[in-house]
């Protein structure tokens, strides 16, 4: 029962609340009609309300005024009804209202209330400043409101010229502040000028090109010897005239410049501006003695001259690389004393040659090549079981040391594998104490350092290292001469020479990835045995050709060049072997065969310009640390 009661009370409360919230019409005033007037009988159907009311006013003596909008058919049926009640029902029941003014009843059609308009959606207005970048997402925002918000969050000064009240809709994401100001101004056809770190947004100073619409207009700004141009389908002749007027350069214009141009460039030279404006047109320009000449291509003279100085490449090499399309009608001479090209021809061709040379004239990589050549005694290397400097073999250490001052360990199996594995083109990592280990091994007669040099060359050029000796021997020859019936033999002698040279040729190429492709050709010729002036020496030749790719500072070791030789080894008993006459009893000569492998270490380094210069003091200190001097 209690639940039902609560439900009823809740429904009643909701109903009362709904009635309370519903709009209440204002109460109409009482009609000035005495209660004694009664409508005895009134029964009409689809009768014009205006005629009915006028008839009632005449019959009952009412002061009645009807507005123009009081019209339409009505149907009523009154019997013994007080007049003021019947009239009130007649009016309100058909949607009319009335008011009393000085005893006159004014009847009118009430104006229906206007429906509430839906609220427009909120317009976007987001301004962010993060990592010195400005982001905007604004829709139909007043410019002054946007600028004020930008100043608040960035702390930068932005001034807007008076009487600029333009709404702006713009979206930019993480843009540098100055560039964002330019975009804001440009979207409203305004100018944004930077002045000492602050920006001023002003009305654009457009020059009309003869049209009334948005096209055919341009603006030119010349400051600090640089031009800025904005043009929308602007007449070329008008635009060039404005440029000449602002720059005040000496110029001659031949004929009328036809055509329109659209452009947006900022802070470029006058010469580049003219070059860009005339590109693709039938017009060009050239200069002589400080005067610019503007006109059709066919008017251009062919005796303009230009000296093109090169910074990095040789002028003799560059002139061979120029395309024939540029040089066929142009005279080009090499000026060796200035490493330059002197070109004579049409101005536009000279400009094209200058740009072509500029793209080629880039710094050339210089490669410093460190070359180390050692001849390793394989028998001694095997007998010692030595870690041969390459790092990987040091992972398993032995127990013996070569010198107390040198961290050199021995391991027979490792070195045997290393000797067997060395081939052509093994890339290694040279340890820091590489030089000290070489010195120790050289003192132990394990290896012989044939060459240790540094040579430098330009990218793509060949570097040659030659170490050799020249030997002479006597060559006798016998020639027979016929003298009548007798034959006479004549013997002649002359010295012949044989050059035993060790050559290493390296040609490096630097790739775009910073890698170095090296073509390495070691060619070693060595005399065998002792030298005799009466017998031509025998030369042992070892030759390898290899192409490898290395990173800056990587080392490649070339091996596999094995030489077998036989030498006389004298052995004698101390003191007794040196005695005269009987000393031969205490000494002997033994034929000893030896086997050696030639190892070549090549390490390239890339440098440009001054970074490749040598600091003499540092080089001397480096050699002292390495124990070379």
């Amino acid at each position: 029962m209690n639940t039902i009661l609560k439900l009823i009370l809740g429904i009643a409360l909701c109903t009362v609340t709904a009635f309370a919230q519903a709009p209440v019409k204002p109460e109409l005033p009482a009609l000035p009609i005495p209660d004694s007037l009664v409508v005895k009988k009134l029964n009409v159907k689809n009768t014009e309300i205006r005629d009915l009311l006028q008839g009632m006013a005449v019959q009952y003596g009412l002061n009645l005024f009807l507005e123009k909008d009081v019209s339409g058919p009505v149907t009523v049926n009154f019997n013994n009804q007080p007049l003021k009640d019947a009239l009130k029902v007649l009016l309100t029941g058909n949607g009319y209202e009335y008011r009393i003014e000085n005893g006159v009843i004014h009847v009118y059609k009430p104006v229906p209330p206007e429906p509430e308009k839906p609220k427009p959606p909120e317009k976007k207005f987001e301004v962010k400043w993060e990592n010195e970048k400005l982001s905007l997402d604004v829709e139909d925002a007043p410019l002054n409101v946007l600028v004020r918000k930008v100043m608040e969050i960035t702390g930068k000064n932005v001034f807007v010229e008076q009487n600029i009240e333009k709404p702006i809709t713009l979206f930019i994401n993480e843009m540098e502040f100055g560039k964002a100001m330019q975009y804001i101004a440009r979207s409203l056809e305004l100018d944004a000028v930077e002045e000492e770190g602050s920006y001023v947004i002003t009305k654009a100073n457009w020059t009309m090109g003869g049209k009334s619409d948005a096209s055919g207009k341009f603006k030119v700004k010349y400051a600090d010897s640089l031009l800025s141009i904005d043009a929308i389908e602007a007449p070329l002749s008008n635009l060039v005239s404005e440029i000449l007027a602002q720059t005040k350069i000496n110029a001659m214009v031949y004929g009328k410049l036809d055509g329109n141009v659209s452009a947006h460039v900022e802070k470029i030279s006058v010469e580049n501006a003219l070059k860009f404006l005339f590109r693709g047109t039938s017009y060009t320009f050239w200069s002589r003695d400080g005067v610019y000449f503007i006109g059709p291509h066919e008017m251009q003279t062919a005796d303009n001259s230009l000296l093109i100085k090169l910074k990095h490449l040789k002028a003799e090499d560059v002139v061979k690389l120029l395309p024939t399309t540029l040089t066929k009608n142009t005279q080009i001479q090499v000026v060796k004393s200035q490493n330059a090209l002197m070109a004579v021809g049409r101005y536009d061709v000279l400009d094209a040659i200058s740009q072509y040379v500029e793209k080629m004239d880039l710094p050339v990589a210089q490669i410093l090549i460190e070359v180390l050549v050692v001849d390793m005694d394989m028998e001694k290397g095997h007998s010692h079981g030595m870690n041969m400097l390459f790092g990987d073999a040091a992972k398993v250490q032995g127990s013996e040391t070569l010198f107390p001052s040198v961290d050199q360990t021995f391991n027979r199996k490792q070195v045997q594998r290393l000797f067997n594995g060395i081939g052509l083109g093994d890339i290694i990592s040279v340890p820091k104490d590489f030089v000290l280990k070489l010195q120790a091994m050289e003192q132990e007669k394990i290896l012989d350092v044939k060459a240790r040099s540094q040579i430098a060359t330009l990218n793509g050029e060949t570097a040659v290292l030659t170490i050799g000796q020249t030997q002479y021997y006597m060559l006798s020859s016998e020639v027979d001469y016929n003298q009548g019936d007798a034959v006479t033999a004549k013997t002649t002698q002359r010295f012949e020479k044989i050059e035993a040279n060790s050559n290493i040729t390296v040609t490096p190429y630097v790739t775009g990835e910073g890698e170095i492709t090296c073509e390495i050709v070691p060619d070693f010729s060595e005399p065998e045995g002792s030298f005799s002036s009466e017998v031509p020496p025998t030369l042992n030749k070892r030759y390898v050709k290899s192409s490898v790719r290395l990173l800056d500072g990587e080392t490649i070791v070339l091996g596999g060049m094995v030489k077998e030789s036989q030498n006389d080894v004298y052995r004698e008993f101390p003191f007794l072997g040196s005695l005269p006459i009987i000393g031969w009893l205490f000494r002997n000569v033994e034929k000893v065969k030896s086997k050696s492998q030639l190892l070549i270490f090549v390490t390239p380094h890339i440098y440009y310009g001054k970074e490749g210069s040598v600091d003499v003091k540092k080089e001397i200190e480096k050699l002292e640390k390495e124990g070379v001097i």
Side-chain angles (χ1 to χ4, degrees), residues 287-576:
S287 64
R288 183 182 302 166
D289 299 330
V291 180
Y292 283 84
F293 299 88
I294 300 173
H297 280 279
E298 57 269 16
M299 290 187 60
Q300 185 179 184
T301 59
D303 56 351
N304 297 286
S305 60
L306 179 65
L307 182 67
I308 306 173
K309 295 185 178 181
L310 287 94
K311 300 178 182 178
H312 308 287
L313 302 180
K314 293 173 63 176
E316 296 93 327
D317 297 335
V318 171
V319 72
K320 300 175 184 177
L321 301 176
L322 294 175
T324 56
T325 54
L326 296 178
T327 59
K328 61 181 180 180
N329 295 322
T330 307
Q331 299 179 13
I332 301 178
Q333 298 293 331
V334 176
V335 184
K336 289 186 177 181
S337 59
Q338 299 190 42
N339 190 35
L341 300 176
M342 174 59 76
V344 179
R346 289 171 43 180
Y347 187 83
D348 55 345
V349 177
L350 298 185
D351 182 68
I353 293 175
S354 177
Q355 292 187 47
Y356 192 87
V357 171
E358 184 180 355
K359 292 179 180 178
M360 287 193 299
D361 191 23
L362 300 175
V364 180
Q366 188 163 329
I367 299 93
L368 177 67
I369 304 170
E370 297 182 75
V371 180
L372 174 66
V373 183
V374 298
D375 205 0
M376 180 76 70
D377 191 319
M378 297 179 66
E379 296 298 329
K380 290 184 179 181
H382 289 172
S383 64
H384 283 286
M386 178 191 58
N387 174 350
M388 211 176 68
L389 308 175
F390 300 125
D392 291 341
K395 292 181 180 178
V396 181
Q397 295 184 353
S399 59
E400 299 178 26
T401 58
L402 187 62
F403 284 120
S405 60
V406 180
D407 182 16
Q408 178 63 62
T409 61
F410 299 94
N411 188 305
R412 181 181 297 272
K413 292 182 179 179
Q414 289 175 315
V415 174
Q416 184 62 51
R417 288 197 303 268
L418 191 57
F419 270 122
N420 296 336
I422 289 275
L424 298 180
D426 288 334
I427 297 176
I428 66 171
S429 178
V430 177
K432 294 181 179 180
D433 54 353
F434 185 71
V435 175
L436 294 177
K437 292 182 180 182
L438 281 179
Q439 292 174 348
M441 295 163 68
E442 192 172 17
Q443 291 180 20
E444 286 295 304
K445 307 298 182 182
I446 299 172
L447 58 80
D448 180 23
V449 178
K450 295 291 186 181
R452 185 186 176 200
S453 303
Q454 292 182 338
I455 50 178
T457 184
L458 295 176
N459 184 27
E461 300 292 336
T462 300
V464 180
L465 173 65
T466 301
I467 302 174
Q469 58 180 338
T470 302
Q471 294 186 350
Y472 293 88
Y473 65 94
M474 184 69 70
L475 179 64
S476 299
S477 60
E478 189 173 293
V479 180
D480 293 335
Y481 292 93
N482 293 325
Q483 296 180 351
D485 295 333
V487 178
T488 304
K490 185 177 181 180
T491 302
T492 60
Q493 292 180 329
R494 69 177 185 273
F495 284 101
E496 291 287 333
K497 69 176 181 179
I498 290 182
E499 294 183 351
N501 293 329
S502 298
N503 297 318
I504 299 178
T505 303
V506 182
T507 307
Y509 299 91
V510 179
T511 67
E513 301 294 329
E515 296 179 334
I516 309 168
T517 299
C518 292
E519 295 180 0
I520 306 172
V521 182
D523 185 0
F524 289 84
S525 298
E526 298 177 341
E528 182 177 0
S530 58
F531 170 71
S532 173
S533 61
E534 299 177 355
V535 180
T538 301
L539 296 180
N540 292 324
K541 187 177 182 67
R542 288 184 280 186
Y543 175 87
V544 171
K545 185 175 181 180
S546 178
S547 294
V548 295
R549 181 177 293 176
L550 301 172
L551 295 176
D552 186 6
E554 278 189 338
T555 300
I556 185 169
V557 56
L558 301 176
M561 294 175 286
V562 180
K563 180 183 75 171
E564 294 184 356
S565 60
Q566 181 174 300
N567 299 310
D568 294 336
V569 178
Y570 293 88
R571 303 180 186 276
E572 64 179 18
F573 195 86
F575 180 71
L576 297 178

Side-chain angles (χ1 to χ4, degrees), residues 170-398:
L170 186 65
F171 174 79
I172 57 176
N173 186 37
E174 295 184 355
M175 186 175 290
E176 187 267 334
F177 185 80
K179 194 173 183 180
M181 291 298 103
Q182 295 291 342
Y183 270 94
I184 291 174
R186 194 179 305 158
S187 65
L188 300 175
E189 295 187 349
L190 303 173
D191 280 339
V193 182
E194 182 182 6
E195 297 180 359
E196 299 181 356
S198 300
Y199 281 85
V200 180
I201 298 178
T202 62
K203 294 180 181 178
N205 185 20
W206 289 97
T207 300
M208 302 306 296
K211 296 183 180 181
S212 59
D213 55 5
S215 63
K217 61 182 183 178
F218 61 87
K219 58 182 178 180
V220 177
K221 181 180 179 181
Y222 183 66
D224 300 327
S225 301
L226 296 175
L227 270 175
S228 296
I229 301 172
D230 266 316
I232 303 175
E233 285 296 317
L236 182 60
S237 58
N238 293 358
L239 183 56
V240 171
S241 297
E242 182 66 20
I243 292 174
L244 298 180
Q246 290 198 27
T247 58
K248 293 181 174 58
I249 61 174
N250 298 322
M252 299 289 292
V253 181
Y254 299 96
K256 183 181 178 181
L257 305 179
D258 295 325
N260 297 336
V261 63
S262 296
H264 172 72
V265 292
E266 293 183 359
K267 297 181 179 179
I268 63 173
S269 66
V270 177
E271 188 166 308
N272 282 338
L274 294 176
K275 180 170 60 179
F276 297 151
L277 288 174
F278 294 143
R279 181 169 294 175
T281 69
S282 58
Y283 308 104
T284 185
F285 75 99
W286 64 99
S287 64
R288 183 182 302 166
D289 299 330
V291 180
Y292 283 84
F293 299 88
I294 300 173
H297 280 279
E298 57 269 16
M299 290 187 60
Q300 185 179 184
T301 59
D303 56 351
N304 297 286
S305 60
L306 179 65
L307 182 67
I308 306 173
K309 295 185 178 181
L310 287 94
K311 300 178 182 178
H312 308 287
L313 302 180
K314 293 173 63 176
E316 296 93 327
D317 297 335
V318 171
V319 72
K320 300 175 184 177
L321 301 176
L322 294 175
T324 56
T325 54
L326 296 178
T327 59
K328 61 181 180 180
N329 295 322
T330 307
Q331 299 179 13
I332 301 178
Q333 298 293 331
V334 176
V335 184
K336 289 186 177 181
S337 59
Q338 299 190 42
N339 190 35
L341 300 176
M342 174 59 76
V344 179
R346 289 171 43 180
Y347 187 83
D348 55 345
V349 177
L350 298 185
D351 182 68
I353 293 175
S354 177
Q355 292 187 47
Y356 192 87
V357 171
E358 184 180 355
K359 292 179 180 178
M360 287 193 299
D361 191 23
L362 300 175
V364 180
Q366 188 163 329
I367 299 93
L368 177 67
I369 304 170
E370 297 182 75
V371 180
L372 174 66
V373 183
V374 298
D375 205 0
M376 180 76 70
D377 191 319
M378 297 179 66
E379 296 298 329
K380 290 184 179 181
H382 289 172
S383 64
H384 283 286
M386 178 191 58
N387 174 350
M388 211 176 68
L389 308 175
F390 300 125
D392 291 341
K395 292 181 180 178
V396 181
Q397 295 184 353

Side-chain angles (χ1 to χ4, degrees), residues 28 49 74 86-97 109:
L28 295 174
I49 190 174
V74 295
L87 185 58
K88 186 174 183 180
V89 170
L90 176 62
L91 295 177
T92 58
N94 289 281
Y96 297 98
E97 293 182 359
K109 193 80 169 180

Side-chain angles (χ1 to χ4, degrees), residues 1-15:
M1 186 67 180
N2 292 334
T3 304
I4 296 174
L5 182 59
K6 290 181 179 179
L7 182 60
I8 294 172
L9 291 175
I11 294 173
L13 181 60
C14 292
T15 304

